[in-house]
Amino acid sequence: MKTIQSDNYPIYFEDSIAELEKFVKAGNYSRSFILTDEHTSIDCLPLIQAQFAGHENFDIIEVNSGEESKTIDFCIGIWKMLIDFEADRKSLLINLGGGVITDMGGFAASTFKRGIDFVHVPTTLLSQVDASVGGKTGIDMDNIKNIIGTFTQPKAVFIADEFLKTLPARQILSGTAEMLKHGLIKDAAYWAALKNSDLSIPSAELIYRSVEIKNEVVIEDPKENGIRKALNFGHTIGHAVETNSLINDKDPLTHGEAIALGMICEAYLSHKKTGLSSDHLTEIVTVINSLYPKYNLAAANYETLCAIMLKDKKNQNGKINCTLLTSIGQCSLDNICTDAELCESLAWYAAL
Amino acid sequence: MKTIQSDNYPIYFEDSIAELEKFVKAGNYSRSFILTDEHTSIDCLPLIQAQFAGHENFDIIEVNSGEESKTIDFCIGIWKMLIDFEADRKSLLINLGGGVITDMGGFAASTFKRGIDFVHVPTTLLSQVDASVGGKTGIDMDNIKNIIGTFTQPKAVFIADEFLKTLPARQILSGTAEMLKHGLIKDAAYWAALKNSDLSIPSAELIYRSVEIKNEVVIEDPKENGIRKALNFGHTIGHAVETNSLINDKDPLTHGEAIALGMICEAYLSHKKTGLSSDHLTEIVTVINSLYPKYNLAAANYETLCAIMLKDKKNQNGKINCTLLTSIGQCSLDNICTDAELCESLAWYAAL
């Protein structure tokens, strides 16, 4: 597997931890910081430290794991640690963790002293195939995901499958949803390959192809004015369900579980509005439902979900804008959906 | 006076409020917000509203004036107002005020939904000749100025001398210091023109030339890797004195008063280190001292000032880096100054 070249930065897939060591040494940084959470500091940090074997002195900044930590308060904590450790403009921040770490660490670095270098070492499948590529940084506020952030590219991304071995099955499946999405929006053959694979631990080749698809899209449209919206398939409804679940459920949905649900609903809307065939709709629903547990939507108020969708930063002028499918492997951007249509799709899911 | 073209945005000098109206109408924004403080909402906002004469519905976001408001807490307040008002990605933020408003409003806009459009309507001389041009946004934290921020260009800047009429003399002088700096670092003829002018209300032509000089520098080096450092003349020491004064003085120095002091100290260092002649040093000190009151530095601990300088985002590897002069109108970048040299220059100022 070759290194993928993204928007002025490389994404490494082979000997990635050794590549990280080379990168840090070549960068001649005045200081290097590693942002971790309580899981990655135990499960992942030792692999980095073993590689460097004491040759590099890292300062560790640890935050709590979980979406509920992706807030301005934790971000202020990171900034203040950087100040206390006397980080300067030639410092490097290494984000070691899942999407919360890479999104928030990227935001903290992109705004500290008007921007210091950062790299991502994504340790979950979800962050490997999604958050670590594309230059979106962000934090949540008032229960709106990534409402505050920047478009800033990392200097490099290091994808190492060693880290996936420590992940619980549910976390793996959270990433699989984004891989399925990549097939659905852009590559029918890849969708077919995924469908016929054991997805309990996706192969390195499948992960590589997923990153390749995402990278192709974001390079073409870094600031989401056009084709990048393809990546929002399943996310208009999925994000709202995820937000609602985070607020109300004792054991909230993972991102992937919410997106899986969102993809079913939006596949239904695709069938109604953009010509997705009923065979393709059935195939999508069957594959997704075989992987993800059914979620009890009854608890959620559909009106509340629509109100959350309206606050999504992708929507403008009070209209809700969905990316839908025309067939498996092809998508259609900018489909305005009414509250009634969105509610209908939710009810259809609930009745499955 | 012609419109100055900066890095992809225009800076208007004539009929600027009318130009603002044209800009807003042409931009087809979904919503327009005006960020003000308790002064500009009374002294300046009515001029904008009179121009639009009810044709545009603005939502007003008001924050407290003064450097002590340039914090993440006030910035969170702006973000939450934007959320509450349902600002979307096609919204516009108009920053109507001095440097606190333009810096903080620029930062809030550049990070809201990963960046919405913003324009500056600078209402102080200081913000007209300095903060509003160059694409630096920022807030302070832990008493470190602009430690958090981005490099993001406004979509336009509207400079109108109507606003200066409401300013107290001390606020005018705060801006004059930056104009003097522009002459000292880049244009001896401009310095001479300033020296021979009544600076109690600088003429529109003098303001125009100041913006022109600043713009030439920042266009050449938007991210401060080289020549932009010229603009730091007087600021290494000036910023530290300003920070210290904000913390300790009942009636703190203005930015310009602190920079005026910093320019005297750094002119002294220029004489010692980069060949500024004693005639030029004397001329600089005489002009500045005729405009600005003497500050009692005795109260400040020199060691404390050096510690503040070390935290300045421009310094790296624990070394303090100054822009100095070789003569009036020419500067020299990247001069490392020791604590002893910096203390000597402060003591020299104190003994003047």
Side-chain angles (χ1 to χ4, degrees):
Chain A
M1 287 178 305
K2 285 182 300 187
T3 298
I4 291 179
Q5 193 57 33
S6 188
D7 188 4
N8 281 321
Y9 65 93
I11 305 167
Y12 294 100
F13 289 85
E14 284 185 3
D15 300 322
S16 295
I17 302 179
E19 292 289 350
L20 172 66
E21 186 189 16
K22 280 192 224 162
F23 175 92
V24 172
K25 287 190 172 160
N28 203 15
Y29 289 103
S30 61
R31 306 283 293 273
S32 296
F33 297 86
I34 303 185
L35 183 65
T36 65
D37 62 32
E38 73 276 18
H39 301 306
T40 59
S41 65
I42 292 170
D43 293 331
C44 307
L45 184 56
L47 277 78
I48 309 275
Q49 287 167 322
Q51 175 71 40
F52 282 83
H55 293 307
E56 182 81 21
N57 234 337
F58 297 111
D59 286 306
I60 310 298
I61 301 176
E62 186 176 311
V63 296
N64 294 356
S65 66
E67 190 74 26
E68 57 277 21
S69 306
K70 203 173 142 186
T71 62
I72 191 66
D73 290 334
F74 275 94
C75 188
I76 291 170
I78 297 171
W79 286 327
K80 295 207 170 197
M81 291 280 274
L82 289 171
I83 293 173
D84 288 346
F85 281 134
E86 300 185 342
D88 63 30
R89 277 189 175 165
K90 276 295 290 173
S91 298
L92 172 71
L93 183 65
I94 300 168
N95 298 312
L96 179 69
V100 170
I101 293 285
T102 57
D103 284 2
M104 181 160 62
F107 179 65
S110 72
T111 52
F112 184 74
K113 300 195 177 190
R114 297 203 183 94
I116 60 171
D117 282 2
F118 62 92
V119 297
H120 294 322
V121 185
T123 59
T124 65
L125 180 60
L126 178 59
S127 60
Q128 291 186 350
V129 298
D130 188 27
S132 70
V133 176
K136 284 187 176 179
T137 78
I139 54 169
D140 307 337
M141 187 174 285
D142 283 2
N143 289 311
I144 311 173
K145 283 176 66 90
N146 299 317
I147 184 83
I148 307 301
T150 60
F151 286 104
T152 314
Q153 308 296 342
K155 291 295 166 189
V157 176
F158 303 89
I159 293 182
D161 54 11
E162 291 94 309
F163 297 126
L164 302 185
K165 290 169 194 151
T166 64
L167 282 185
R170 195 176 168 202
Q171 283 303 321
I172 293 283
L173 266 176
S174 184
T176 311
E178 295 289 347
M179 298 171 71
L180 293 167
K181 182 194 76 181
H182 292 146
L184 287 174
I185 60 170
K186 214 165 181 274
D187 187 344
Y190 180 57
W191 164 264
L194 288 168
K195 200 175 60 170
N196 297 318
S197 301
D198 170 14
L199 293 176
S200 64
I201 290 203
S203 69
E205 287 70 24
L206 288 174
I207 294 172
Y208 182 89
R209 176 65 189 140
S210 202
V211 173
E212 203 170 40
I213 291 173
K214 171 147 192 194
N215 190 52
E216 283 164 20
V217 171
V218 299
I219 278 192
E220 198 177 327
D221 174 25
K223 293 209 170 175
E224 199 163 11
N225 298 312
I227 183 64
R228 185 167 185 158
K229 293 181 192 167
L231 298 170
N232 295 336
F233 175 64
H235 281 61
T236 302
I237 292 176
H239 263 170
V241 171
E242 181 184 9
T243 299
N244 189 69
S245 173
L246 273 173
I247 301 168
N248 296 310
D249 293 344
K250 220 172 139 185
D251 179 24
L253 290 173
T254 64
H255 178 72
E257 285 163 354
I259 295 315
L261 185 164
M263 289 195 289
I264 291 179
C265 294
E266 294 181 25
Y268 172 81
L269 290 170
S270 303
H271 176 59
K272 298 277 286 187
K273 291 172 71 82
T274 55
L276 183 74
S277 71
S278 46
D279 284 358
H280 278 185
L281 174 61
T282 305
E283 180 176 329
I284 293 167
V285 173
T286 307
V287 169
I288 293 177
N289 273 344
S290 74
L291 290 166
Y292 297 90
K294 184 76 186 290
Y295 179 64
N296 183 5
L297 260 184
N301 180 323
Y302 295 173
E303 292 301 312
T304 307
L305 292 176
C306 288
I308 297 173
M309 288 179 224
L310 212 52
K311 288 201 175 178
D312 190 305
K313 65 194 160 313
K314 288 165 194 112
N315 293 315
Q316 287 168 11
N317 291 317
K319 292 195 168 121
I320 295 171
N321 194 342
C322 290
T323 296
L324 300 177
L325 303 178
T326 55
S327 67
I328 287 175
Q330 291 205 308
C331 61
S332 158
L333 310 181
D334 293 324
N335 298 283
I336 303 292
C337 294
T338 63
D339 280 19
E341 288 169 330
L342 293 161
C343 289
E344 185 184 324
S345 76
L346 291 163
W348 185 78
Y349 172 88
L352 275 177
Chain B
M1 288 177 302
K2 286 182 300 191
T3 298
I4 292 179
Q5 192 58 31
S6 189
D7 188 4
N8 281 319
Y9 64 92
I11 306 167
Y12 295 99
F13 289 85
E14 283 185 4
D15 299 323
S16 295
I17 303 179
E19 292 290 348
L20 172 66
E21 186 189 15
K22 281 192 223 161
F23 175 91
V24 171
K25 288 192 171 155
N28 203 16
Y29 289 101
S30 61
R31 305 283 292 275
S32 296
F33 298 86
I34 303 185
L35 183 65
T36 65
D37 62 32
E38 74 276 19
H39 301 304
T40 59
S41 66
I42 292 171
D43 293 330
C44 307
L45 185 57
L47 275 77
I48 308 275
Q49 287 167 324
Q51 174 72 39
F52 283 84
H55 293 308
E56 181 81 20
N57 234 337
F58 297 110
D59 287 306
I60 310 297
I61 302 176
E62 186 176 312
V63 295
N64 295 355
S65 66
E67 189 74 26
E68 57 278 21
S69 306
K70 204 173 142 187
T71 62
I72 191 66
D73 290 334
F74 276 93
C75 188
I76 292 170
I78 297 170
W79 284 329
K80 295 206 171 197
M81 290 280 275
L82 290 171
I83 294 173
D84 288 347
F85 281 133
E86 300 185 344
D88 62 30
R89 278 188 174 166
K90 276 295 290 171
S91 299
L92 173 70
L93 183 65
I94 299 168
N95 298 312
L96 179 69
V100 170
I101 292 286
T102 57
D103 285 2
M104 181 160 63
F107 179 64
S110 72
T111 51
F112 185 73
K113 301 196 178 190
R114 297 202 183 93
I116 62 171
D117 282 2
F118 62 92
V119 297
H120 294 322
V121 186
T123 59
T124 64
L125 179 61
L126 178 60
S127 61
Q128 291 186 351
V129 299
D130 187 26
S132 70
V133 176
K136 283 187 175 179
T137 77
I139 53 169
D140 306 335
M141 185 173 285
D142 283 2
N143 289 311
I144 311 173
K145 283 178 64 92
N146 299 317
I147 185 84
I148 306 301
T150 60
F151 286 104
T152 313
Q153 308 295 345
K155 292 295 168 194
V157 176
F158 303 89
I159 293 182
D161 54 11
E162 292 94 310
F163 297 126
L164 301 187
K165 291 169 195 150
T166 64
L167 281 186
R170 196 177 167 201
Q171 284 302 321
I172 293 282
L173 267 177
S174 184
T176 311
E178 295 289 348
M179 298 172 71
L180 294 168
K181 181 193 78 182
H182 292 146
L184 287 175
I185 60 170
K186 215 166 179 279
D187 186 344
Y190 181 57
W191 163 264
L194 289 168
K195 201 173 59 168
N196 298 318
S197 300
D198 170 14
L199 293 176
S200 64
I201 291 201
S203 69
E205 286 71 25
L206 288 174
I207 294 173
Y208 182 88
R209 176 64 189 141
S210 202
V211 173
E212 203 171 39
I213 292 173
K214 172 150 190 191
N215 189 52
E216 283 164 19
V217 172
V218 299
I219 279 193
E220 198 177 328
D221 175 24
K223 293 209 171 176
E224 201 164 8
N225 299 311
I227 183 64
R228 186 168 184 158
K229 292 180 192 168
L231 299 169
N232 295 335
F233 175 65
H235 280 62
T236 303
I237 291 175
H239 263 170
V241 170
E242 182 183 8
T243 299
N244 188 69
S245 173
L246 274 173
I247 300 168
N248 296 310
D249 292 345
K250 219 171 139 184
D251 178 25
L253 291 174
T254 65
H255 178 70
E257 286 163 352
I259 296 314
L261 186 166
M263 288 195 291
I264 291 180
C265 294
E266 295 181 24
Y268 173 80
L269 290 170
S270 303
H271 176 58
K272 298 276 285 186
K273 291 171 69 83
T274 55
L276 183 74
S277 71
S278 46
D279 283 358
H280 279 185
L281 174 60
T282 304
E283 180 176 330
I284 293 167
V285 173
T286 307
V287 170
I288 293 178
N289 273 345
S290 74
L291 290 166
Y292 299 90
K294 183 79 186 291
Y295 179 64
N296 182 5
L297 260 185
N301 180 323
Y302 295 174
E303 292 301 310
T304 308
L305 292 175
C306 288
I308 297 173
M309 289 179 221
L310 212 52
K311 288 202 177 178
D312 190 304
K313 63 193 162 315
K314 288 165 194 112
N315 293 315
Q316 288 167 12
N317 291 317
K319 293 196 169 119
I320 296 171
N321 194 341
C322 291
T323 297
L324 300 177
L325 303 178
T326 55
S327 67
I328 286 176
Q330 291 204 308
C331 60
S332 158
L333 310 179
D334 293 324
N335 298 284
I336 304 293
C337 295
T338 63
D339 281 19
E341 288 169 331
L342 295 160
C343 288
E344 186 184 323
S345 75
L346 291 162
W348 185 79
Y349 172 87
L352 275 176

